[in-house]
Amino acid sequence: MKKILLDADASPVTKLVLSHCEAMSIPLTVVHSRDHVPRDGWPDWVDVHIVEAGPDAADFQLLAECRRGDLVITGDIGLAALCIGRGAEVLQFKGDRIRPEELDMLLALRYETQKARRRGKYGRGPSARSRDDDDRFARMLQTLTEAWSKGDGDV
């Protein structure tokens, strides 16, 4: 059965995903490190994987849970590339769907940004999250999960 996997380390869309999955009866798996355990915990119906703190520990666990046809929600381009390689759909926190044909460009941009950071050049960082970001994310999440119920694998 298809499910949604949430990269919950510092996810700004956790509440949106929880309410959507509950309303639509969609299985949800969340993965996060011990450093990001929510104060209120998780509902009983959520499949929770808590990993030790460490670089990429949550990413590797999420990848181990990922299957063809699943929807992965993450802000990590490297993890997105690996999940797409397994046949999953990927949705970023701002509501942008990552398509396989975009990966080369996104990974190259990530590489160049990392090189600049190592040289001491830092950008402004991401803009503050807005209501429009939440609305865009919720619309795309709805579109992708409605496609599941129609049996349409490509939206």
Side-chain angles (χ1 to χ4, degrees), residues 53-120:
D56 302 320
D59 296 348
F60 290 131
Q61 181 63 45
L62 192 144
L63 186 61
E65 299 295 321
C66 180
R67 303 286 179 266
R68 177 173 295 287
D70 288 343
L71 175 60
V72 175
I73 300 172
T74 184
D76 184 324
I77 298 299
L79 176 60
L82 294 169
C83 292
I84 287 172
R86 289 201 169 191
E89 299 280 342
V90 175
L91 182 59
Q92 291 183 305
F93 295 141
K94 286 212 173 185
D96 299 319
R97 180 177 172 205
I98 299 178
R99 297 184 181 274
E101 60 270 15
E102 299 171 323
L103 282 177
D104 286 344
M105 183 267 309
L106 292 170
L107 290 168
L109 180 60
R110 174 183 177 228
Y111 173 72
E112 291 301 324
T113 303
Q114 288 172 339
K115 278 186 5 185
R117 278 194 210 119
R118 283 193 296 271
R119 289 192 310 266

